[in-house]
Amino acid sequence: MRIGIFGGTFDPIHLGHLAAARAARECAQLDKVLFVPSATPPHRGPAVADPEQRLEMTRLAIDGEKGFEVSDVEVRRDGLSYTVDTLRELRRLHPQDELFLILGGDAARLFDTWREPGEVRRLASLVIVTRPGSGAPSGTSDIVCERPTPDVSASLLRRRLAHGQPVTDMLPQAVADYVAGKGLYRDNRSIGC
């Protein structure tokens, strides 16, 4: 089986994430995409929503989407959420499967700064989904997926939610309902960027 691993803070998960996962599934002919919300991301500030809330938003976002699943492997693990540790755990759980790490263009440009990038490449092939206007990385042997995806950022979403602005064009409805019901991202002091 060909399994795509799509990690992220997902604070909150949005339509851009879902479009990128669909594009990667098509480009790399993946049988399944595992969404892996991070517990404590090492490359950015702390998330606004707690790990359990982000896990639930991710479940709601992919509900009914064939071939999409959520993994709590990082939420269950203590400490920083390093991709290499996640891939080691997923390799142990799926020893016979091919793993593909799904990255956006921004993350791909920072890949060499990650912990043990060589080991990450040993554990999984990279699938790079470029964002609108970003272009494909040059000189790469990875699977590059150039597809139009919504240009949505979680930081913009958090700002809009904090100011009471509409976000229905950026979030799956079930996630928008969850965010509203929990009052997430309403506190201007904690919206993050």
Side-chain angles (χ1 to χ4, degrees):
M1 182 174 285
R2 293 166 66 89
I3 302 175
I5 313 300
F6 192 24
T9 310
F10 302 134
D11 192 26
I13 190 166
H14 54 67
L15 296 177
H17 292 127
L18 298 176
R22 289 181 192 115
R25 180 176 59 191
E26 179 184 318
C27 287
Q29 300 174 337
L30 303 173
D31 298 300
K32 176 170 42 176
V33 174
L34 281 181
F35 287 74
V36 184
S38 62
T40 308
H43 284 300
R44 54 180 70 205
V48 177
D50 69 40
E52 289 300 329
Q53 290 170 325
R54 292 182 288 108
L55 196 60
E56 183 60 23
M57 285 188 281
T58 305
R59 286 185 180 118
L60 290 168
I62 67 162
D63 186 44
E65 181 95 30
K66 187 174 190 277
F68 283 4
E69 295 179 15
V70 178
S71 171
D72 65 354
V73 65
E74 289 189 2
V75 171
R76 286 185 287 108
R77 188 174 61 231
D78 290 333
L80 294 175
S81 298
Y82 289 109
T83 300
V84 69
D85 297 331
T86 300
L87 289 175
R88 285 179 179 132
E89 176 67 10
L90 292 173
R91 169 61 52 222
R92 187 184 67 73
L93 294 172
H94 304 277
Q96 303 303 317
D97 298 319
E98 288 182 83
L99 301 182
F100 295 81
L101 181 64
I102 301 167
L103 301 176
D106 295 343
R109 281 188 283 284
L110 296 173
F111 179 75
D112 289 336
T113 68
W114 291 14
R115 176 178 275 191
E116 300 183 54
E119 179 69 359
V120 169
R121 283 186 179 280
R122 189 187 71 73
L123 292 165
S125 300
L126 301 188
V127 179
I128 302 169
V129 180
T130 59
R131 289 183 74 166
S134 66
S138 59
T140 181
S141 61
D142 304 313
I143 299 169
V144 177
C145 185
E146 293 185 87
R147 294 286 196 286
T149 58
D151 192 11
V152 180
S153 77
S155 58
L156 171 63
L157 265 167
R158 290 190 299 268
R159 282 194 298 275
R160 288 182 72 174
L161 287 162
H163 292 96
Q165 297 170 334
V167 295
T168 53
D169 59 334
M170 300 175 164
L171 286 176
Q173 188 60 53
V175 175
D177 293 343
Y178 180 87
V179 166
K182 296 288 185 183
L184 293 174
Y185 311 110
R186 295 287 186 205
D187 183 349
N188 285 327
R189 293 173 306 226
S190 65
I191 60 170
C193 289

